[in-house]
């Protein structure tokens, strides 16, 4: 079926799909933040793991794609024969029966930006509904992703000359509410969990972590915080606590009570290695919190710059458990620091203990069968990039799976892991065996794919692709 036919079919039959997809609802979790894929890495704790039936299995193929050009063809009267379409999609979430994402696009000859919320049928990619949320004038294409909580879809939007959230019915796209959060701008991706909106923002007086009621938008509490990576998730929520990596008063994992923002515990992380880029102790991504453990590696800048960072594990009740590096890749430091002179390279080897090669870990780890799996650079056998699995209790390396290039936010369905790299998607077994690799044009390596309905939903530079 032609893509435009798919789009029209989905728009015309959305109500029928909603009525007849009980089986899909069981797999997707009905939009629940507890069992669906409601946010970056699946849930507020950033675990990234679902049951085996949620994923595509051990062999991979492309089920469908929705691109910026597809949306222009369907929703705009435009001559596209010689038009170049620029676009950018967010990471997907699963809301009710649908895979949902925000998608900004424009043509070179038609420079006005359009931002859409797109809800697609997981089975065939037909667009069941699409709406244009109110967005500020001059908004860049890298718009924020939707969030799902308690059967409602939240999308950052322009509300009363500020920024807040537009709220939609995931089944129909009907707007249900607009929450005026009174924010001049958003610097970090909001998180909506258990009836609360969490936003970490930067301002002239420093950064602030704020909590709002997800029902009416009233502010519940606000505390000082470390500035977030622009546009990226900056926190995790698990077991009644908001978890962040704090770099204001020495590096630490900090857990705050979701009720009032008071600090529950602070786990100092002393003597972290020095970043190449900042010449300061490294900064870690928001942690994965699971099974009484807190796990984090270098943030998104460490992926982009292949900077030096460990995987750190701590107890959710307080106290560091261990920190680990992968076995060093011979010559890896020269690859990462291409323009460094020999004296600088030798000094770094001595200061950082890299005589046996370069190794670093970054991104969002996942915990599967007692193993913590994280992306990085090191001796993975055939390739310097890979997934490295460590014993969750002790931090010892159990296996290394080579990848053709860097990945950032692996996910798992049962005992099969999925890693998105620049060449495509690789499926890896729970003991580190590469099962299959699917070539896929221009995937967004730094984004988390979504799992559900036997599909892996991957953001690319053109839109979103579903892998079965």
């Amino acid at each position: 079926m032609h893509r435009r036919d798919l789009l029209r079919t989905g728009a015309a039959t959305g109500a029928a799909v909603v009525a007849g997809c009980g089986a899909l609802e069981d797999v997707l979790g009905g939009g629940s933040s507890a069992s669906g894929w409601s946010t970056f890495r699946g849930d507020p704790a950033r675990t990234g793991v679902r049951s085996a039936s949620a994923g595509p299995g051990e062999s991979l193929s492309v089920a469908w794609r929705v691109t910026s050009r597809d949306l222009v063809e369907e929703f705009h009267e435009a001559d596209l024969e010689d038009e170049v379409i620029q676009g950018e999609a967010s990471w997907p979430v699963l809301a009710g029966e649908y895979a949902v994402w925000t998608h900004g696009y424009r043509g070179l000859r038609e420079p006005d930006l359009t931002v859409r919320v797109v809800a697609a049928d997981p089975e065939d990619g037909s667009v069941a509904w699409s709406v244009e949320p109110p967005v500020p004038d001059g908004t860049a294409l890298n718009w924020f992703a939707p969030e799902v909580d308690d059967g409602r879809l939240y999308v950052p939007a322009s509300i009363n000359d500020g920024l807040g959230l537009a709220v939609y019915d995931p089944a129909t796209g009907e707007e249900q509410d607009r929450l005026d959060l009174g924010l001049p701008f958003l610097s970090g991706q909001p998180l909506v969990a258990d009836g609360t909106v969490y936003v970490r923002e930067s301002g002239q007086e420093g950064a602030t972590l704020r909590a709002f009621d997800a029902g009416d938008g009233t502010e519940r509490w606000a505390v000082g915080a470390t500035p977030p990576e622009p546009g990226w998730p900056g926190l995790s929520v698990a077991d009644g606590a908001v978890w962040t990596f704090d770099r204001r008063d020495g590096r630490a994992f900090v857990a705050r009570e979701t009720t009032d923002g008071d600090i529950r515990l602070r786990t100092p992380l002393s003597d972290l290695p020095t970043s190449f880029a900042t010449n300061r102790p490294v900064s870690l991504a928001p942690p994965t919190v699971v099974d009484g453990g807190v796990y984090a590696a270098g943030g998104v800048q460490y992926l982009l710059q292949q900077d030096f960072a460990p995987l750190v594990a701590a107890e959710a009740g307080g106290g560091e458990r261990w920190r680990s590096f992968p076995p060093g890749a011979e010559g890896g430091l020269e690859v990462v620091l291409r323009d460094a002179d020999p004296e600088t390279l030798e000094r770094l080897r001595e200061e950082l203990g890299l005589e046996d090669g370069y190794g670093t870990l970054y991104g969002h780890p996942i915990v599967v069968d007692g193993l913590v799996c994280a992306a990085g650079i090191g001796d993975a056998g055939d390739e310097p990039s890979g997934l490295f699995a460590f014993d969750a209790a002790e931090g010892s390396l159990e296996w290394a799976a080579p990848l053709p290039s860097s990945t950032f936010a692996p996910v798992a369905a049962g005992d099969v892991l999925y890693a998105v790299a620049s060449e495509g998607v690789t499926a890896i077994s729970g003991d580190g065996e590469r099962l299959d690799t699917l070539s896929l044009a221009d995937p967004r390596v730094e984004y988390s794919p979504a799992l559900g309905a036997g599909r892996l939903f991957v953001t690319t530079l053109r839109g979103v692709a579903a892998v079965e």
Side-chain angles (χ1 to χ4, degrees):
M1 182 180 290
H2 193 275
R3 166 57 54 196
R4 298 185 72 175
D5 295 330
L6 280 175
L7 289 167
R8 288 169 177 161
T9 300
T13 61
V17 171
V18 171
C21 285
L24 277 180
E25 184 173 1
D26 291 339
V27 177
L28 294 179
S32 166
S33 62
S35 58
W37 198 275
S38 63
T39 185
F40 186 91
R41 284 300 295 282
D43 55 52
R46 315 297 184 190
T47 61
V49 179
R50 291 296 179 269
S51 64
S53 62
E58 298 183 358
S59 60
L60 308 175
S61 61
V62 174
W64 51 260
R65 295 181 176 90
V66 175
T67 68
S68 302
R69 183 171 290 269
D70 293 328
L71 298 178
V72 172
E73 288 180 348
E74 178 61 22
F75 296 108
H76 302 268
E77 295 181 2
D79 180 6
L80 297 178
E81 289 186 3
D82 58 351
E83 177 66 292
V84 176
I85 305 299
Q86 295 178 326
E88 185 167 338
S90 73
W91 51 80
V93 297
L94 299 178
E97 323 300 345
Y98 303 120
V100 185
W101 65 93
T102 52
H103 202 132
Y105 55 90
R106 57 162 58 99
L108 290 183
R109 290 186 294 133
E110 298 289 338
D112 290 342
L113 172 69
T114 296
V115 175
R116 287 190 171 278
V117 183
V118 180
D121 187 317
E123 183 67 24
D124 58 19
S126 57
V127 176
W129 58 261
S130 179
V131 297
E132 295 184 39
V135 298
D137 293 336
T139 299
L141 288 183
N142 55 335
W143 193 240
F144 293 94
E147 295 277 321
V148 184
D149 185 62
D150 194 24
R152 285 154 58 101
L153 184 73
Y154 295 82
V155 179
S158 179
I159 311 292
N160 296 333
D161 298 324
L163 283 177
L165 296 171
V167 185
Y168 299 95
D169 183 340
T172 63
E174 178 183 359
E175 185 174 305
Q176 296 179 324
D177 202 356
R178 293 190 179 188
L179 304 184
D180 184 359
L181 305 184
L183 301 175
F185 61 90
L186 288 176
S187 48
Q189 168 74 25
L191 172 63
V192 187
D194 299 325
T196 302
V197 180
Y198 301 95
V199 178
R200 200 163 65 158
E201 60 166 345
S202 298
Q204 293 182 349
E205 299 181 358
T208 304
L209 172 61
R210 301 184 186 276
F212 300 88
D213 188 290
D216 59 19
T218 57
E219 185 170 284
R220 291 177 171 172
W221 49 262
V223 296
T226 298
E229 295 276 4
W232 285 88
L235 52 90
S236 309
V237 174
D239 300 325
V242 183
W243 289 87
T244 60
F245 174 79
D246 194 347
R247 60 179 186 273
R248 292 181 304 160
D249 302 317
R251 273 48 176 165
F253 291 132
V254 175
R256 295 182 176 273
E257 301 291 347
T258 56
T259 53
D260 54 17
D262 287 349
I263 292 180
R264 175 188 294 183
L265 63 88
R266 178 183 177 89
T267 300
L269 303 174
S270 60
D271 300 322
L272 286 172
T274 300
S275 157
F276 294 148
T278 66
N279 201 32
R280 298 176 181 175
V282 301
S283 293
L284 304 181
T288 297
V289 185
V290 60
D291 294 338
V294 181
Y295 308 94
V300 67
Q301 291 300 322
Y302 289 77
L303 162 73
L304 300 177
Q305 299 169 347
Q306 298 182 331
D307 206 346
F308 188 58
L311 171 64
V312 179
E315 301 290 347
E320 185 174 345
R321 186 183 293 176
W322 49 260
R323 62 182 69 172
S324 293
F325 286 95
E330 185 177 352
L333 192 61
E334 286 83 349
V335 174
V336 173
L337 300 178
R338 295 175 180 84
D339 299 324
D341 58 76
E343 291 78 10
T344 299
L345 290 170
E346 185 59 32
R347 175 179 59 81
L348 288 172
R349 285 193 184 92
E350 293 179 0
E351 291 179 356
L352 302 176
L354 302 179
E355 290 81 4
D356 295 329
Y358 181 69
T360 183
L361 295 165
Y362 40 68
H364 296 265
I366 52 177
V367 181
V368 180
D369 293 333
L371 298 178
V372 185
C373 304
I377 295 174
D379 184 2
D382 297 337
E383 306 283 351
S385 295
L387 278 184
F388 300 87
F390 301 86
D391 182 271
E394 301 177 354
S396 56
L397 182 69
E398 298 298 314
W399 53 256
L403 292 171
S405 60
S406 300
T407 189
F408 186 71
V411 298
D415 59 359
V416 179
L417 287 66
Y418 303 96
V420 177
S422 59
E423 291 80 5
V425 181
T426 297
I428 299 169
S429 71
D431 57 6
E433 178 188 357
R434 187 188 298 193
L435 302 172
D436 195 13
T437 296
L438 171 68
S439 296
L440 191 66
D442 301 323
R444 292 296 302 265
V445 172
E446 68 275 29
Y447 283 5
S448 169
L451 277 169
R455 301 281 193 272
L456 182 75
F457 303 94
V458 181
T459 303
T460 74
L461 293 180
R462 300 178 183 180
V464 171
V467 176
E468 63 180 354

